[in-house]
Structure formats: C-alpha cells, structure tokens
Amino acid sequence: MRLLAILILVIFIAAGVVLGALNADLVGYDLAFAQVHLPKGAALLGALVIGWLLGGLTAWLGVSMGQRRLRRRQLHADKKLSSKP
Amino acid sequence: MNLMSVLVPLVPAAFALGWWSSRRVGARRSGAEVSELSSDYFRGLNYLLNEEQDKAIEVFLKLAEYNRDTVETHLALGNLFRRRGEVDRAIRLHQHLVSRPGLSDAMKTVALLELGEDYMRAGLLDRAEALFSDLVAMDAHAPSALRHLIAIYQHERDWHKAIEHARRLEVMTSEDEAPMIAQFYCELAERSRQHGARAEARDYLRQAFKCQADCVRAFMLTGRLHAEDDQHVEAVTAYEAAIQADIAFTPEILPPLLNSYARSQQMERAEVFLREMLSRYHGVSPVLALTQLYRQRDGERASIDFLTSQLRLRPSVRGLMALIDATMDKIEGEARENFLILRDLTRKLLEGQAMYRCSRCGFGAKAHHWQCPSCKSWSTIRPIHGVASE
C-alpha cells in the first residue's frame, strides 16, 4: 500500500516537472493593486495548492466549530446536572 | 487551450480534495470513525471483562486473521492463552511475533517479555532467566524483567542472586525493596543455621537488620540461635523485641519465648510482659500463656478463675477448649459426658479452621509461612483474629 502511494507520488512529481518544463513561458496577472508575471506551470500549481489549502481550511473550521459547539452543550448539561440536588 | 479554461475545473477539484482530506483527518482524530475492526476489538474486550475468555479468544483470533500487522492483538491473544493455561500456544504465538521481520524494537521487547512469562508459566525457568537477563542487559522493560528474575531466583532458592537483583531493582525504580531483601538474608541465615554454620547465620542476620531494623523474622531467628546456644536471657530479649516489632506474630513467638522464660527462670518478667500484652493484643494466645503460668505458680483454681474472667472479655474457641480441658477432671457423671462431646466439637471446629490468612491475596493456611504460597509476597501471612481462631 505504502509502496503504491510512493509510486503514484513519484509519477505525479515527474509529470509536474515535465509539464513545468514544457510550459515555461510567462503569463501575466493583473491583481488590480499589482501585476505579476509567472510561468504557466507555476501558476497552475499555485492555483491547485491554494484551492487544496482553502478546501482543507474550510473543512477544518467546520469540524472544529462543530466540536466546540458540542463541548459547550456538554458543559452546559454538566452544570445543569451538578446544580440539581 | 487557454490557461483559465484548465484552471476553472481544476481549482474546485483541488478545493474538494482538500476539504475531503481534512474531514478525513479530523474524523480519525476525533474518533468518530469507528471501524469494524475496533468494534470487534471492543466486543473482545467486553467478553474479557465478563470473564468469558473463550469468546474473547474467538474474537481476537478473527481480528488477528483480518489484520496480520496488528501486533497488539497478537499480544492480547498470547496473554489470554497463557492465562487459560494453554502455554504451548502462547509460546508459539510469541515466538512467531519475536521472529517476525520488520517488527519495531519496542514491540519486539514487549513480545520477548511476554515470551519470558510464558516460559516461567511452563516451568522452563532457565529459558525465562536467559530472556529476562537479555532484557535487563538491553535496558528494555528492565524493572519488569528484574521482578521476574527475582521471582525465578526465589523459586530456585538462589538467595544471593535474588538479593543482587533486588538491589538493582531498588536502584532502578527507587522503590523500597529492603523488607524483601531482609527476608532473603533471613532465608540464608536459616539455611546456615540448619547446616551448623552459626557464625555465618549471625552475619546474615546482621545484614537483615541493616536492611530492616525491625525485621520480626530476624529477631525470631536471633532468639532461636541464642536459645540453641543456651543463652536464654538473650533469647528472651530477642523474642520480646520481635513482639514489639510486630505484635501480630505473637502466636508464633510466644511458645519459644515462654520456653526461654522458663529456662532462664524469669517467670516474674514473663508475667509482667504477658500482662502488658493483654492490654495491647486482643488475641487469646497471651491469655492461654498466663493461664499456664498461673496453673504452675498458683494452682488450678486461680488459673481457671483467670481464664473464665478473660473469656468473658474475649470469647474464643481456643480459650473455651482450654477451659474444658482444665475443668474436665472436676466433673463426673452425665455432665462429664456432655463436656466430652463439647470438647470433641471444639476440637473439630478448630481442626478445619485456617489459622492464618494472607493480607494481600486472602490465601488461608493452617501453618505460618513467611512467603505466601499463593501470591509469593513476603510477611503478608498473619494470624486470623476471630472467635474460632486467634
């Protein structure tokens, strides 16, 4: 299982290197406050990484907020129980 | 193809991938993901807690088949086999674990420790000793291995090695093993005494006192050595010190102490000491000793009066039997027959009674042992206090 994962990772890295080399020409972005010029491959990779990170962050925030809500409810229930004679 | 037309589908896909992987990690951490494997594990655990070991073994065997990499399951299985007495299966399982390639060092040492315990259970003490010695040398699970080694040396009665390893354990864990080491020295002293090496025995007793200044057994052995050398005054001092060290051992100490009092003609001292004991010790032994003393000194009537008054304060079957024995000569006719029946009854009641009990495991014994035959703890067997016993 671990070997397969390493193999797939190596294939993707190799593909990334090849695509990066084939698409080395620069593309320009106008971000309104600044203009950036990046190689096409790097722009693609950057967009993917940012998308992946944003997805992860959203899910993490969702889970942790849910857990916090649960914990608060539990604390509230505990207090109620302990206040009962 | 335009770069944007590639990015438009890829970025949401990356977002979704990131979202999914984060949820997965979160779920695994919070324990929300309960796999079939873990539910089986808890089922097995439940069987174990309900003392249904056969069913637990079935579940754990199934678990081990599903996932051959789960070392913990194999260890649990091996443990179960050993506890059920299937030592050969436990040994095979642990040997297989130890020889498995790619096992981490930590897990291998755990498996070695378990294998050592299997060997001990199977009575293969030499193999167990070699394994535990290796573990101590590797400094892996050394305290457990040392405890097992000490148990092996106790079993083999190799007291010198037991002392050496107990001292190492003391240094390693900072736990006080001095009372146990004192018992080992007492065993050596007893052996030397039996072989006639009295000076050597006294040396060992000195070592025992160095370990535990109030070691009852060492005091008793000192008294016995003095008594055997006809030094009864010194013997009395040692026996009295033994009682002062632990009053619970009074029934064991009183017979030789009374003998030494008589041999050294210190019966006044005996009376003072026994009278003082009556207030501190609630068993019947000092009462019986004083009754004996009064019978010899003041006659039968005084001894019976004393015994009767004491039996009202502390009722005891042993005391009652002594009273019946003392009054038997004065009774005739039908009352005598009744008294004989009563005497037989009390004797039978005492015959089936355990006089000592281990304060650690509850093992009951008729005779006193310094080491509990069941849990192997030292100095935990004590006289039972109650109407039918002490």
Side-chain angles (χ1 to χ4, degrees):
Chain A
M1 187 67 193
R2 192 175 288 176
L3 194 73
L4 189 74
I6 291 170
L7 199 71
I8 290 170
L9 194 71
V10 168
I11 289 170
F12 269 84
I13 287 170
V17 169
V18 170
L19 280 177
L22 289 175
N23 299 283
D25 45 334
L26 296 178
V27 283
Y29 286 98
D30 194 345
L31 301 173
F33 54 90
Q35 280 199 340
V36 284
H37 292 274
L38 289 168
K40 259 188 203 169
L44 186 71
L45 188 72
L48 286 176
V49 168
I50 289 169
W52 188 79
L53 283 177
L54 278 177
L57 193 70
T58 316
W60 179 74
L61 277 175
V63 169
S64 58
M65 275 166 73
Q67 279 182 345
R68 207 171 298 161
R69 204 166 38 238
L70 272 175
R71 217 171 295 145
R72 215 177 300 138
R73 260 187 225 161
Q74 198 176 345
L75 210 72
H76 190 64
D78 284 350
K79 269 185 189 167
K80 257 188 173 177
L81 271 178
S82 59
S83 66
K84 275 187 182 173
Chain B
M1 203 158 80
N2 189 320
L3 181 66
M4 286 311 281
S5 61
V6 179
L7 280 179
V8 166
L10 270 184
V11 170
F15 183 91
L17 197 69
W19 185 84
W20 175 75
S21 52
S22 179
R23 282 303 288 250
R24 219 179 141 216
V25 171
R28 205 180 289 169
R29 272 195 198 155
S30 66
E33 194 181 67
V34 180
S35 65
E36 196 186 332
L37 202 72
S38 64
S39 76
D40 271 350
Y41 182 80
F42 283 112
R43 205 150 57 88
L45 199 66
N46 202 18
Y47 282 137
L48 265 187
L49 290 173
N50 290 336
E51 304 270 331
E52 293 177 275
Q53 296 191 353
D54 294 344
K55 287 181 183 169
I57 282 180
E58 255 177 49
V59 172
F60 283 130
L61 267 175
K62 207 172 100 188
L63 261 176
E65 270 173 29
Y66 275 151
N67 191 351
R68 291 186 177 277
D69 296 333
T70 324
V71 183
E72 285 85 357
T73 314
H74 282 85
L75 286 173
L77 255 178
N79 235 325
L80 272 176
F81 283 141
R82 187 174 61 235
R83 277 171 55 186
R84 269 171 51 90
E86 295 180 58
V87 189
D88 49 340
R89 284 180 90 177
I91 289 176
R92 271 205 305 277
L93 205 141
H94 288 134
Q95 276 177 339
H96 166 73
L97 264 183
V98 170
S99 61
R100 183 190 274 192
L103 194 72
S104 69
D105 283 349
M107 279 298 161
K108 195 166 267 184
T109 51
V110 172
L112 277 172
L113 191 73
E114 296 285 336
L115 186 60
E117 286 185 31
D118 296 341
Y119 284 145
M120 265 186 89
R121 187 72 184 268
L124 303 167
L125 295 185
D126 49 342
R127 286 194 197 181
E129 185 186 343
L131 264 184
F132 291 134
S133 299
D134 286 350
L135 281 172
V136 173
M138 286 191 290
D139 201 16
H141 306 286
S144 300
L146 274 174
R147 280 193 191 98
H148 288 306
L149 277 174
I150 293 168
I152 291 172
Y153 296 134
Q154 282 181 53
H155 189 81
E156 292 172 344
R157 306 184 72 74
D158 189 342
W159 305 113
H160 288 291
K161 276 191 177 172
I163 291 168
E164 184 196 324
H165 284 80
R167 287 204 192 281
R168 283 178 75 177
L169 182 66
E170 217 171 24
V171 172
M172 204 170 277
T173 60
S174 312
E175 282 172 17
D176 185 21
E177 305 292 346
M180 186 171 73
I181 298 173
Q183 290 289 336
F184 296 160
Y185 277 118
C186 287
E187 286 286 344
L188 283 168
E190 181 70 54
R191 191 196 286 169
S192 301
R193 189 192 69 79
Q194 281 167 3
H195 292 159
R198 308 183 74 76
E200 197 181 69
R202 282 181 209 282
D203 275 346
Y204 285 134
L205 287 176
R206 260 192 291 278
Q207 295 287 339
F209 282 125
K210 259 188 202 169
C211 294
Q212 192 188 5
D214 58 347
C215 179
V216 181
R217 191 179 181 187
F219 277 124
M220 283 175 73
L221 271 169
T222 309
R224 187 162 182 180
L225 280 174
H226 283 308
E228 283 171 355
D229 290 342
D230 274 333
Q231 299 167 332
H232 288 285
V233 179
E234 289 84 351
V236 163
T237 311
Y239 286 132
E240 283 182 354
I243 290 182
Q244 302 291 359
D246 195 342
I247 202 159
F249 288 96
T250 300
E252 287 300 303
I253 304 166
L254 268 186
L257 174 61
L258 290 172
N259 182 45
S260 287
Y261 275 134
R263 294 287 192 88
S264 58
Q265 294 175 339
Q266 298 188 85
M267 294 323 279
E268 289 81 14
R269 183 177 170 178
E271 190 188 353
V272 172
F273 186 75
L274 290 169
R275 277 273 177 199
E276 195 247 332
M277 273 197 75
L278 279 183
S279 56
R280 289 199 297 134
Y281 184 74
H282 301 291
V284 77
S285 292
V287 175
L288 296 180
L290 269 172
T291 308
Q292 182 78 14
L293 196 146
Y294 290 143
R295 183 181 298 127
Q296 284 165 2
R297 199 186 64 187
D298 307 327
E300 198 75 53
R301 189 66 257 161
S303 74
I304 291 175
D305 287 346
F306 172 74
L307 185 57
T308 318
S309 64
Q310 285 298 318
L311 277 179
R312 283 198 191 98
L313 293 173
R314 47 187 104 191
S316 135
V317 179
R318 272 178 72 200
L320 179 69
M321 206 164 121
L323 186 65
I324 293 169
D325 283 339
T327 48
M328 192 62 88
D329 298 336
K330 296 184 181 62
I331 303 164
E332 286 171 359
E334 196 182 336
R336 188 183 166 80
E337 290 301 313
N338 292 343
F339 258 71
L340 278 172
I341 294 168
L342 196 61
R343 191 171 70 171
D344 285 347
L345 189 78
T346 47
R347 188 163 290 145
K348 276 188 182 132
L349 199 66
L350 287 177
E351 271 172 9
Q353 204 70 30
M355 302 298 280
Y356 300 89
R357 192 168 304 286
C358 174
S359 57
R360 192 154 180 186
C361 70
F363 176 82
K366 279 190 181 176
H368 180 255
H369 302 267
W370 287 106
Q371 188 183 24
C372 174
S374 174
C375 68
K376 308 288 175 198
S377 311
W378 289 94
S379 288
T380 52
I381 292 202
R382 284 161 179 273
I384 300 171
H385 287 262
V387 176
S389 39
E390 179 59 21

